[in-house]
Amino acid sequence: MYLGIQKDIRYVGAHCSSAGGMAKAVQRIVDLEGTALQIFTRNQRQWTVKSLEDAEVEDFRRAWHSWGEYPVLAHDSYLINLASPEEGLRHNSVQAFAQELQRCARLGISLLVTHPGSCKSQGREQGLRTYVQALDQAVAAAKGDYPQSAEVRILLETTAGQGTSLGGDFRDLSEIMDGSGFSDRLGVCLDTSHVFAAGYDLRDEQSYTRTLSSLDRAVGLDRLLAVHLNDSKHPLGSRMDRHEHIGYGQLGLEPFRLLLGDPRLARVPMVLETPKNKAGTWDRKNLAVLREMDT
């Protein structure tokens, strides 16, 4: 697993497609000259997924080793909603999340990003309790069937706060961590577009400092283990989850300069989730903009 031992290297990359096999995702980030990678370990839009074959696991690990000791994150399926009041959906979500943890462990991936879910009609407080209970069930089930899954850290992703989704307020993350029996395994993935849409400004040094201080008070900056680098199509506080290319949206360039220049985050992997095209042209352009800031 990634140990974060390389010095003087900024971990900046992108979410890359695993089409054709997960080793292909590694080749795609190599082609982009990235130093951090995020992938889906499965089709994120289907409940039923094929088990990992030993050969696929070995190919992925070999490709990763050849690339270097760079961090790889996984993102869980968008179908999963551990906060759902619907018993059937919540049951499927618990099983699917347990499988996500197990798949990460088999692949050697130590960071799994997940959205806190949507509380629907329950209301925020009950939704958080539902989420914590289901999350703990999934973690326990994964460990029971595959003990190595205990090595995977779970990163709660900040959300735009749209509709009844949880995670738009840093206090949601704090309550989940305080309530979980597996709090020591929980961290945070900060999404720049999401926090901006949720009302946390980042566009100048003063607002950036205020937002990071708010996160520090809620959960501690030592829990911030990954960043999604996305500009936002919509303005501050819009609660609209729409990503834009770096510098093309409402955030502009300054937040990314501040993040890349923050010595507290020097070892934190940061990945693009900006709009894609098949040729990877936009990922190249966005990474070029970020590299120019980091020189």
Side-chain angles (χ1 to χ4, degrees), residues 262-276:
D262 193 330
R264 299 169 298 177
L265 309 183
R267 315 311 301 154
V268 175
M270 302 183 182
V271 294
L272 295 166
E273 286 186 325
T274 43
K276 305 287 185 182

Side-chain angles (χ1 to χ4, degrees), residues 160 162 193 196-199 232-242:
Q162 67 275 29
S193 174
F196 182 69
S232 174
K233 285 183 179 292
H234 295 285
L236 177 69
S238 65
R239 298 192 177 274
M240 297 286 286
D241 179 6
R242 296 292 184 273

Side-chain angles (χ1 to χ4, degrees), residues 4 16 82 84 101 105 131 134 143 153 162 203 212 245 283:
C16 290
L82 295 171
S84 175
L101 289 167
Y131 180 83
K143 184 178 178 181
R153 297 289 299 272
Q162 67 275 29
R203 290 172 296 179
L212 268 288
H245 298 296
D283 277 346

Side-chain angles (χ1 to χ4, degrees), residues 38 40 73-83 93 96-98 100-101 111-117 131 135 138-139 153-159 166-167 173 176 185-191 194 226 228 273:
Q38 181 177 274
F40 294 119
L73 301 74
H75 197 301
D76 70 346
S77 167
Y78 293 142
L79 295 176
I80 292 173
N81 183 9
L82 295 171
S93 297
F97 194 72
E100 297 269 10
L101 289 167
L111 299 172
L112 175 61
V113 179
T114 183
H115 295 178
Y131 180 83
L135 176 68
V139 174
R153 297 289 299 272
I154 299 162
L155 306 189
L156 306 171
E157 182 176 346
T158 58
T159 70
L166 303 171
L173 310 180
I176 291 168
R185 300 234 344 241
L186 303 182
V188 173
C189 175
L190 184 146
D191 186 300
H194 294 174
H228 286 165
E273 286 186 325

Side-chain angles (χ1 to χ4, degrees), residues 26-197:
V26 179
Q27 186 55 57
R28 290 178 179 111
I29 199 64
V30 170
D31 292 343
L32 292 170
E33 300 181 6
T35 52
L37 170 65
Q38 181 177 274
I39 63 170
F40 294 119
T41 73
R42 47 165 288 179
N43 185 323
Q44 78 275 18
R45 301 192 185 280
Q46 294 181 4
W47 286 113
T48 303
V49 295
K50 189 174 73 171
S51 298
L52 287 169
E53 300 288 342
D54 290 343
E56 184 176 13
V57 172
E58 187 57 35
D59 286 347
F60 173 77
R61 284 177 172 266
R62 187 183 303 112
W64 186 357
H65 179 75
S66 177
W67 173 39
E69 289 189 2
Y70 299 124
V72 177
L73 301 74
H75 197 301
D76 70 346
S77 167
Y78 293 142
L79 295 176
I80 292 173
N81 183 9
L82 295 171
S84 175
E86 301 172 26
E87 186 174 352
L89 175 55
R90 194 168 64 252
H91 172 77
N92 288 341
S93 297
V94 167
Q95 288 189 319
F97 194 72
Q99 291 168 0
E100 297 269 10
L101 289 167
Q102 293 166 353
R103 292 171 76 88
C104 284
R106 283 200 65 195
L107 293 163
I109 297 171
S110 58
L111 299 172
L112 175 61
V113 179
T114 183
H115 295 178
S118 176
C119 62
K120 302 296 184 182
S121 59
Q122 300 171 92
R124 174 180 171 273
E125 291 301 325
Q126 181 55 48
L128 288 167
R129 287 191 289 270
T130 299
Y131 180 83
V132 168
Q133 182 179 30
L135 176 68
D136 283 6
Q137 288 173 354
V139 174
K143 184 178 178 181
D145 291 337
Y146 196 75
Q148 293 94 321
S149 69
E151 299 177 25
V152 181
R153 297 289 299 272
I154 299 162
L155 306 189
L156 306 171
E157 182 176 346
T158 58
T159 70
Q162 67 275 29
T164 59
S165 64
L166 303 171
D169 188 317
F170 294 158
R171 291 174 296 181
D172 291 355
L173 310 180
S174 177
E175 290 189 35
I176 291 168
M177 291 177 177
D178 289 345
S180 173
F182 299 95
S183 181
D184 61 325
R185 300 234 344 241
L186 303 182
V188 173
C189 175
L190 184 146
D191 186 300
T192 54
S193 174
H194 294 174
V195 296
F196 182 69

Side-chain angles (χ1 to χ4, degrees), residues 208-268:
Y208 173 87
T209 299
R210 187 164 52 245
T211 291
L212 268 288
S213 295
S214 179
L215 181 63
D216 191 24
R217 288 192 299 273
V219 299
L221 280 185
D222 58 321
R223 299 260 201 174
L224 178 54
L225 302 181
V227 175
H228 286 165
L229 299 172
N230 302 303
D231 209 327
S232 174
K233 285 183 179 292
H234 295 285
L236 177 69
S238 65
R239 298 192 177 274
M240 297 286 286
D241 179 6
R242 296 292 184 273
H243 298 179
E244 182 56 280
H245 298 296
I246 305 300
Y248 283 72
Q250 297 290 322
L251 275 164
L253 294 175
E254 188 62 13
F256 305 100
R257 186 177 290 110
L258 291 166
L259 281 162
L260 290 167
D262 193 330
R264 299 169 298 177
L265 309 183
R267 315 311 301 154
V268 175

